[in-house]
Amino acid sequence: MDSSVLLIPIILGIILVLLIVVLFFSVAACLWRKGTRGLHHLASSFPATETPEGATFSRQTVMIDGVRYRNCTKVVIAREGLSLSVSLLVPGISGGSAVIPWERIIASEEEQDGWTRAVRLTVSAEPPVSITLPATVVRAFPETMNGRIAQQD
């Protein structure tokens, strides 16, 4: 048997491994780049030292400045404000957490997000931050906030 025939599967195997490594690092770079927006920006503006106590909604899908965190966000409606924390499955990339004081949530607009009703909030920060939460979560907001939330039925 010719030795060049035996080299073909080895070369193809090496190419496959290299493609998998390149794909892994490409995905990691995209996730890291997304971290420079979204919750990362909120966490730097409104850092959370610990998660406050309050009504907790786990595994929520939340969008922060165009970055969608699917089924990995814990939302806590606390006296101190709106607490958001993300748990990512990628090791070494922190999801971050933030507690936004209620007075910094300045506007809202109800919208349809796929099959669910959602509310887009605007947070007073530099620059302003947009957060989209499921409407079921927003209904648990304190009475003082509910007066500022545009209700559209």
Side-chain angles (χ1 to χ4, degrees):
M1 194 177 238
D2 189 12
S3 63
S4 62
V5 174
L6 294 175
L7 287 176
I8 292 175
I10 293 171
I11 292 172
L12 289 176
I14 291 171
I15 291 172
L16 180 63
V17 168
L18 288 174
L19 286 174
I20 290 171
V21 169
V22 168
L23 179 64
F24 172 79
F25 283 108
S26 298
V27 169
C30 288
L31 289 173
W32 180 79
R33 207 171 305 124
K34 277 187 172 186
T36 60
R37 302 183 331 211
L39 189 58
H40 177 75
H41 173 68
L42 274 179
S44 64
S45 299
F46 308 103
T49 55
E50 60 184 41
T51 303
E53 290 188 25
T56 302
F57 299 85
S58 298
R59 300 182 46 81
Q60 297 298 308
T61 296
V62 174
M63 186 161 33
I64 304 171
D65 271 351
V67 179
R68 187 177 305 271
Y69 299 95
R70 282 191 198 276
N71 304 319
C72 63
T73 308
K74 181 166 91 172
V75 181
V76 179
I77 311 299
R79 192 169 35 98
E80 301 91 295
L82 177 64
S83 171
L84 301 171
S85 59
V86 171
S87 302
L88 298 179
L89 296 176
V90 180
I93 300 178
S94 171
S97 60
V99 177
I100 305 155
W102 293 114
E103 60 270 8
R104 299 300 291 267
I105 300 174
I106 55 174
S108 69
E109 179 181 332
E110 195 160 332
E111 59 186 34
Q112 196 72 22
D113 184 22
W115 295 101
T116 61
R117 294 186 77 134
V119 176
R120 185 170 22 139
L121 307 172
T122 302
V123 177
S124 173
E126 198 53 48
V129 177
S130 171
I131 301 173
T132 304
L133 295 169
T136 54
V137 172
V138 175
R139 286 189 203 109
F141 279 12
E143 284 300 314
T144 55
M145 257 324 283
N146 283 334
R148 291 194 274 166
I149 301 295
Q151 298 293 332
Q152 300 171 1
D153 291 324

